[in-house]
């Protein structure tokens, strides 16, 4: 499994890339692999608020529908519209092309509670 060191992770298998006071959020390589072929991605709108540990969207695969949980709280400043037409990008490029939302942090200290790559790798190997 690919687990980039520069990212932070949640126990629910979202990844977070910190860019100043904004974070980029997607699902991990492990998550997309477990889900199988992604056929639909439901995301919120720009301007919507997300709250730590609350659902913000969902990913549908041929196997199941999984909710996406906000790893931080804040305001959505960008949504990856490309995933509406090409949900398979989540399987092909979970860390680059298939980012899902960008959030302006309302509480930057929430990032400190996220897992680092080593802790996430340990979690998924259990």
């Amino acid at each position: 499994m690919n687990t980039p060191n520069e990212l932070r992770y949640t126990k629910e298998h979202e990844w977070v890339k910190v860019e100043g006071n904004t974070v980029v959020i997607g699902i991990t390589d492990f998550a997309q692999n477990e889900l199988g072929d992604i056929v639909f991605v439901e995301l919120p709108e720009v301007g919507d608020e997300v709250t730590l540990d609350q659902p913000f969207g969902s990913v549908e695969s041929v196997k199941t529908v999984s909710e996406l949980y906000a790893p931080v709280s804040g305001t959505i400043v960008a949504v990856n519209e490309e995933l509406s037409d090409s949900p398979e990008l989540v399987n092909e490029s979970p860390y680059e092309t298939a980012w899902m939302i960008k959030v302006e942090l309302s509480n930057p200290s929430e990032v400190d509670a996220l897992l680092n790559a080593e802790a996430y790798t340990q979690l998924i190997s259990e």
Side-chain angles (χ1 to χ4, degrees):
M1 289 293 133
N2 182 11
T3 309
N5 282 329
E6 69 276 9
L7 302 178
R8 302 298 292 260
Y9 301 89
T10 70
K11 292 177 181 170
E12 289 77 30
H13 311 290
E14 285 86 18
W15 59 262
V16 175
K17 180 180 181 184
V18 180
E19 296 178 340
N21 197 42
T22 302
V23 294
V24 183
I25 299 168
I27 67 168
T28 66
D29 189 32
F30 175 82
Q32 70 78 22
N33 190 54
E34 291 291 303
L35 287 167
D37 293 337
I38 306 294
V39 295
F40 183 73
V41 179
E42 179 184 41
L43 297 173
E45 302 286 323
V46 170
D48 287 355
E49 299 287 323
V50 292
T51 304
L52 177 66
D53 294 333
Q54 295 301 306
F56 69 84
S58 62
V59 175
E60 184 177 340
S61 72
V62 293
K63 295 183 191 176
T64 188
V65 175
S66 293
E67 295 220 83
L68 300 166
Y69 293 93
V72 295
S73 301
T75 304
I76 297 173
V77 295
V79 174
N80 189 346
E81 303 291 347
E82 196 173 352
L83 297 180
S84 296
D85 296 328
S86 303
E88 69 278 1
L89 291 173
V90 176
N91 296 115
E92 295 166 6
S93 181
Y95 297 115
E96 290 85 25
T97 313
W99 63 273
M100 295 184 175
I101 60 173
K102 293 184 182 184
V103 175
E104 185 176 335
L105 296 167
S106 59
N107 185 357
S109 67
E110 289 174 344
V111 171
D112 299 336
L114 298 172
L115 303 172
N116 63 21
E118 182 180 341
Y120 182 71
T121 299
Q122 185 175 344
L123 173 79
I124 61 176
S125 65
E126 292 175 354

